[in-house]
Amino acid sequence: MVDQSLLIGRQLGNYRMEGLIGHSSSSEVYRGTHVQLHRQAAVKIWHIQLSESEWQTFRREVQILSLLDHPNILRVLDVGREQNVPLMIMEDVANGTLRQRLKDGQRLPLSIVVTYIKQLASALQYIHDHRLAHLNIKPENILLDGQNNVLLSDVRIATIVRHIASKNSQLNMSNIQYMAPEQAMNQPHLTSDQYALAAVAYEWLIGVPPFQGSYNAILEKHRMSPPPSLLDRLPTLPEEVERTLFTALAKDPTQRFPRITDFADALEKASYQKPRARSEHVTNEISPISNAGQKATGTTSQFARSFSSSLRPKMNLTSVTSYGQLCALPEPVMSLDWSADGKQIVAAGEGRTIAIWDIASRQAIKTYQRHRGKVQMVAWGPKEMSKSIASASSEGNIQVWNVNTGTQQASWLEDAPIQYFTWSPDGQFIVSLNIAGNSIKIWDVKTGRLVIQYKSKIQQLQALDWSADGTYIVAASKEGSMQMWFVGTGMDGDREALQREQTRVYQRTAVSNINALDWAPNKKLLAYGGGNNSVDIWNPITGISPVHYDHHTGPIHYVQWSPDGTTIASASADKSVQIWDSAKGKEIYSYRGHTDSVNTVRWSPDGKLLASGSSDRTIHIWSPS
């Protein structure tokens, strides 16, 4: 390794070296700044000197790599040399490599592994389709961008490999733990990339690569030994996942999957299988979404079969205003939403399982099990996205999926569990807030790409909402402050307008610990509630607060305006949902059918019914009429 002090501050080509990003036995990568454009990039410097003929070949190889244009491939920007030392200029990314981000032995959830492998396989298939092979896959060459998508870097450059091999009788193969046996024998195959990717996935799942030991011992194991069982280290892993990985890790290249995307698709399908070690409330679905009402092993509802008999849906008609308990779940109900036609409800309340319930039959007609972390929030899409549901989990994953087929339409990862999200009124975007509570992010639903991230000027954000006309987003904090962003023109297609952040902060509002927000459907009014047991209606444009409602005796967990904007439903830790006049703040009705804190309440689209979810593990359907 070259002494950093000799390079920091020095200009190489058009870039001034600012700091070391990473290094290997044969190269170093520095963060550099273009001396004229002031643009940052990553500058890779090899510890070799090339002859003129080698340089010309190297330059042509890098030119080919610079033409690769894929969202999961790190872009090559330029090539250069200093005193015959080759340089390659690449885009600089925010979050470093997976090797840097993960501690030794750290495991990743299966869902994240599948997400990463799908992205990497797409990039590798793109490379293969251009008649190239990567042949240098290892966690050190897999980076994370600012959206926590993976980027593949360091495609093997033949000139560099040949030069190093000519100077060293035993080529230093730093990726030997992931290298296919035929590649180690200098007979690489396109499926060698598949083998290496499977070896990386193996390590992500259990914390260690398939084979360990000395260089020669690892090489011999790649050639002769089957990989140790994953199930011995991770008994809850679906058996089909192990079979899929072992197919990709076959010694014979012809026994692997024909295409690397076939491997990724098979791994995703295998991840839906039921684990060998089964928990009490895990259902039998083998696809991401299933029709729970279909007969299976003599029962009429797969979802209901996962509950004890004491938890199955019951009717409760003791109140003339109540249509009864829709269902009981194994865990507190934290989030629910109505379909656009008012005939179904989607709910999160059973770990990683999401259920869609039919109101008329009071049956779970579909379940979705694609999340690997606990599902924390669900929301049906608006307008043209009414056939889609967005769901967020404790692993920081937001998924958008088709209600009828379970097909995933978009998925993205944040670097912390999701605290709250909401759709834009037109269904094109989702704005999210994670538990770090210091920024909001707007995502494009069709692509799953980050549109803009706004750093908050207040801390501990924990709730947000998007105004009905799409003009404003407001987020509220634990201390009772709020921040509002104007995004109207940006949502109309002027994306550059989003870069010119327009925001306003409201310090210490009338409510402490704000955890419930809702914009009125037809006017610039905001209802918000929290820790001081009250709800305020407020016009953030004028600063006028016309109504204060304080009939609850516990903290407010959720508020929602009725579709016509005349009334508000507020759910509280006092076990009640109260319906009150939004103009006068006068109570109309108080529903007390729950036996524990009410966490969420939602009006049906026609405004005639309400659905409430509680820590008593039930969802109730009722009407205030």
Side-chain angles (χ1 to χ4, degrees):
M1 177 176 171
V2 176
D3 188 347
Q4 296 180 44
S5 63
L6 299 177
L7 290 179
I8 301 300
R10 180 180 171 185
Q11 182 176 332
L12 298 180
N14 293 321
Y15 288 85
R16 182 175 59 254
M17 302 299 102
E18 305 289 354
L20 182 69
I21 295 176
H23 65 88
S24 68
S25 60
S26 61
S27 64
E28 295 167 355
V29 180
Y30 287 84
R31 179 166 288 109
T33 301
H34 197 285
V35 293
Q36 296 177 350
L37 302 178
H38 305 292
R39 180 186 61 196
Q40 282 197 330
V43 181
K44 185 167 186 175
I45 306 169
W46 279 272
H47 302 160
I48 59 176
Q49 289 182 310
L50 299 180
S51 67
E52 183 60 29
S53 61
E54 286 178 322
W55 157 250
Q56 293 300 333
T57 305
F58 170 80
R59 184 173 58 84
R60 287 193 295 270
E61 288 181 291
V62 176
Q63 283 178 335
I64 293 172
L65 297 182
S66 71
L67 297 177
L68 297 177
D69 185 12
H70 187 279
N72 299 109
I73 296 177
L74 188 72
R75 290 178 57 215
V76 174
L77 305 176
D78 202 355
V79 64
R81 61 176 169 172
E82 283 286 324
Q83 299 179 353
N84 295 325
V85 173
L87 312 175
M88 186 167 67
I89 317 302
M90 305 168 289
E91 64 178 326
D92 190 17
V93 295
N95 289 332
T97 70
L98 265 296
R99 178 64 76 207
Q100 292 168 333
R101 289 289 298 271
L102 298 178
K103 299 176 182 178
D104 289 344
Q106 183 175 347
R107 301 178 179 182
L108 288 176
L110 177 60
S111 61
I112 293 181
V113 173
V114 170
T115 299
Y116 286 170
I117 294 301
K118 290 276 287 184
Q119 293 180 358
L120 293 168
S122 175
L124 288 163
Q125 190 64 61
Y126 176 85
I127 291 172
H128 295 172
D129 291 344
H130 284 73
R131 300 184 180 182
L132 299 170
H134 190 283
L135 303 179
N136 196 21
I137 297 169
K138 55 184 177 180
E140 290 84 352
N141 292 337
I142 300 169
L143 298 91
L144 287 174
D145 66 11
Q147 306 163 38
N148 283 325
N149 293 305
V150 289
L151 295 173
L152 194 59
S153 71
D154 286 272
V155 176
R156 191 178 77 157
I157 299 174
T159 302
I160 301 294
V161 175
R162 285 195 297 268
H163 183 97
I164 296 175
S166 68
K167 305 297 182 182
N168 190 342
S169 59
Q170 177 175 300
L171 180 61
N172 180 21
M173 298 178 181
S174 59
N175 58 336
I176 186 63
Q177 289 183 306
Y178 315 97
M179 185 177 289
E182 69 277 4
Q183 183 182 345
M185 302 303 292
N186 202 27
Q187 296 176 337
H189 189 275
L190 275 185
T191 62
S192 300
D193 284 341
Q194 183 183 143
Y195 184 101
L197 189 62
V200 169
Y202 185 107
E203 179 179 355
W204 284 343
L205 286 170
I206 66 169
V208 294
F211 303 118
Q212 301 175 72
S214 66
Y215 177 93
N216 289 330
I218 294 174
L219 186 60
E220 184 64 17
K221 289 176 181 178
H222 277 305
R223 293 180 57 245
M224 303 300 296
S225 302
S229 172
L230 286 162
L231 296 174
D232 290 344
R233 298 284 296 271
L234 192 61
T236 58
L237 189 74
E239 293 180 4
E240 189 61 31
V241 170
E242 182 180 83
R243 282 194 289 269
T244 301
L245 287 175
F246 284 7
T247 298
L249 289 168
K251 309 300 181 185
D252 182 353
T254 64
Q255 298 301 310
R256 300 169 196 155
F257 292 95
R259 291 162 56 90
I260 199 163
T261 49
D262 295 338
F263 159 54
D265 291 341
L267 183 64
E268 181 182 32
K269 184 177 179 181
S271 71
Y272 305 143
Q273 299 285 342
K274 189 174 181 179
R276 184 174 65 179
R278 299 170 181 175
S279 59
E280 179 182 357
H281 295 301
V282 174
T283 54
N284 284 349
E285 290 79 42
I286 61 171
S287 61
I289 193 164
S290 67
N291 293 320
Q294 293 177 349
K295 290 186 178 181
T297 62
T299 64
T300 59
S301 172
Q302 292 179 0
F303 189 84
R305 192 176 64 242
S306 69
F307 303 144
S308 66
S309 59
S310 64
L311 292 179
R312 288 175 182 161
K314 301 174 183 177
M315 295 291 289
N316 177 7
L317 300 178
T318 58
S319 169
V320 295
T321 61
S322 174
Y323 290 83
Q325 177 179 298
L326 174 68
C327 63
L329 300 179
E331 297 180 11
V333 181
M334 305 306 295
S335 181
L336 58 83
D337 200 9
W338 292 81
S339 61
D341 60 10
K343 295 180 179 180
Q344 298 172 356
I345 281 178
V346 61
E350 195 204 354
R352 66 184 184 89
T353 298
I354 299 169
I356 298 176
W357 295 81
D358 178 71
I359 302 300
S361 66
R362 299 173 186 268
Q363 294 292 320
I365 56 173
K366 289 182 173 70
T367 60
Y368 179 84
Q369 289 187 305
R370 201 159 182 168
H371 285 285
R372 298 303 171 185
K374 179 177 172 56
V375 179
Q376 296 176 307
M377 188 173 179
V378 291
W380 226 295
K383 296 189 177 180
E384 67 268 17
M385 296 298 291
S386 62
K387 299 298 183 183
S388 299
I389 289 173
S391 50
S393 69
S394 59
E395 61 197 11
N397 182 210
I398 295 179
Q399 299 180 15
V400 180
W401 44 280
N402 183 276
V403 173
N404 296 321
T405 66
T407 303
Q408 189 180 94
Q409 296 164 308
S411 176
W412 56 88
L413 286 164
E414 295 206 28
D415 52 8
I418 305 300
Q419 180 134 299
Y420 205 93
F421 74 85
T422 189
W423 291 83
S424 64
D426 60 7
Q428 296 186 57
F429 306 96
I430 282 176
V431 59
S432 64
L433 168 67
N434 66 40
I435 61 169
N438 55 13
S439 68
I440 66 169
K441 298 176 182 177
I442 299 175
W443 303 86
D444 187 310
V445 169
K446 291 183 179 179
T447 65
R449 292 285 173 180
L450 182 66
V451 176
I452 191 71
Q453 177 178 358
Y454 290 131
K455 294 289 185 180
S456 176
K457 297 179 181 179
I458 54 179
Q459 299 300 308
Q460 296 181 299
L461 297 177
Q462 57 185 16
L464 56 76
D465 197 27
W466 206 316
S467 64
D469 62 2
T471 304
Y472 300 100
I473 295 172
V474 66
S477 76
K478 190 173 183 179
E479 66 172 11
S481 299
M482 285 192 275
Q483 185 167 353
M484 186 171 69
W485 289 267
F486 174 76
V487 295
T489 57
M491 296 301 102
D492 291 335
D494 183 8
R495 295 295 178 88
E496 292 185 2
L498 294 176
Q499 306 297 328
R500 302 187 295 271
E501 183 178 2
Q502 302 176 65
T503 186
R504 182 186 299 177
V505 175
Y506 306 90
Q507 297 285 357
R508 305 284 182 178
T509 63
V511 174
S512 65
N513 194 17
I514 303 171
N515 50 36
L517 290 170
D518 194 43
W519 285 95
N522 50 15
K523 42 187 175 280
K524 294 283 195 304
L525 292 176
L526 184 71
Y528 64 100
N532 60 350
N533 309 344
S534 64
V535 181
D536 276 66
I537 296 177
W538 178 50
N539 186 328
I541 312 302
T542 65
I544 297 174
S545 184
V547 175
H548 175 77
Y549 183 81
D550 59 2
H551 292 209
H552 283 285
T553 59
I556 307 300
H557 288 166
Y558 205 91
V559 294
Q560 191 187 31
W561 295 75
S562 61
D564 63 5
T566 61
T567 54
I568 288 176
S570 49
S572 171
D574 65 10
K575 307 178 187 179
S576 76
V577 178
Q578 297 183 16
I579 310 300
W580 45 280
D581 188 310
S582 62
K584 300 177 182 179
K586 181 180 179 181
E587 181 180 323
I588 298 172
Y589 180 78
S590 180
Y591 180 75
R592 299 186 177 276
H594 289 287
T595 60
D596 205 338
S597 173
V598 185
N599 302 314
T600 182
V601 62
R602 303 284 292 185
W603 291 89
S604 62
D606 61 8
K608 294 180 180 180
L609 297 174
L610 292 105
S612 52
S614 168
S615 291
D616 67 9
R617 305 182 180 187
T618 66
I619 297 174
H620 290 194
I621 307 295
W622 50 281
S623 170
S625 61

